[in-house]
Amino acid sequence: QVQLVESGGGSVQAGGSLRLSCTAPGFTSDTCGIHWYRQTAEKREWVSSISPYGVTSYATPVKGRFTVSKDKAKETVYLQMNSLEPSDTAVYSCRPFEGVSCRQYSEGQGTQVTVSS
């Protein structure tokens, strides 16, 4: 399997923005959807998803602040995070959908996002 790679994390103040990227060599977002998750010491939480058809969904805590998108040419899925809050602090990772179209990919190791008040 090819592991997805996340990037774009960092440290920001509350109210700031970050854009996370998720990519892998040969990744085709038209056939493989992506879930974004975040992990803290207490819990693992689903954040957002984008299907191969571009249908997006969001967890309630991030709805209206985060936007998931994809760039087929760049083989990359993005998570734009605006109006960040300290509660958004976590390691963010991308995970492929289940199914034949995604079976060659595996979840990435994640990127740290730290939001200070």
Side-chain angles (χ1 to χ4, degrees), residues 12-16 83-86 115-117:
V12 297
Q13 291 191 325
S83 302
L84 284 162
E85 304 167 354
V115 185
S116 58
S117 56

Side-chain angles (χ1 to χ4, degrees), residues 21-92:
S21 300
C22 170
T23 189
F27 176 72
T28 304
S29 60
D30 281 359
T31 57
C32 182
I34 289 291
H35 302 295
W36 284 97
Y37 284 88
R38 61 188 182 187
Q39 176 82 52
T40 65
E42 291 77 30
K43 63 181 179 180
R44 174 178 166 90
E45 180 181 32
W46 170 75
V47 175
S48 180
S49 299
I50 185 165
S51 79
Y53 307 104
V55 177
T56 60
S57 54
Y58 301 92
T60 298
V62 308
K63 198 170 295 185
R65 300 187 297 122
F66 290 13
T67 303
V68 61
S69 62
K70 59 180 181 175
D71 186 327
K72 179 182 178 181
K74 296 183 179 180
E75 302 175 336
T76 300
V77 171
Y78 301 100
L79 184 67
Q80 177 68 44
M81 306 186 297
N82 298 330
S83 302
L84 284 162
E85 304 167 354
S87 58
D88 295 318
T89 296
V91 175
Y92 286 72

Side-chain angles (χ1 to χ4, degrees), residues 2-6 22-24 27 34 94-96 105-106 108-109:
V2 177
Q3 189 171 40
L4 295 166
V5 178
E6 304 90 346
C22 170
T23 189
F27 176 72
I34 289 291
C94 57
R95 180 182 178 88
Y105 299 104
S106 62
Q109 294 189 339

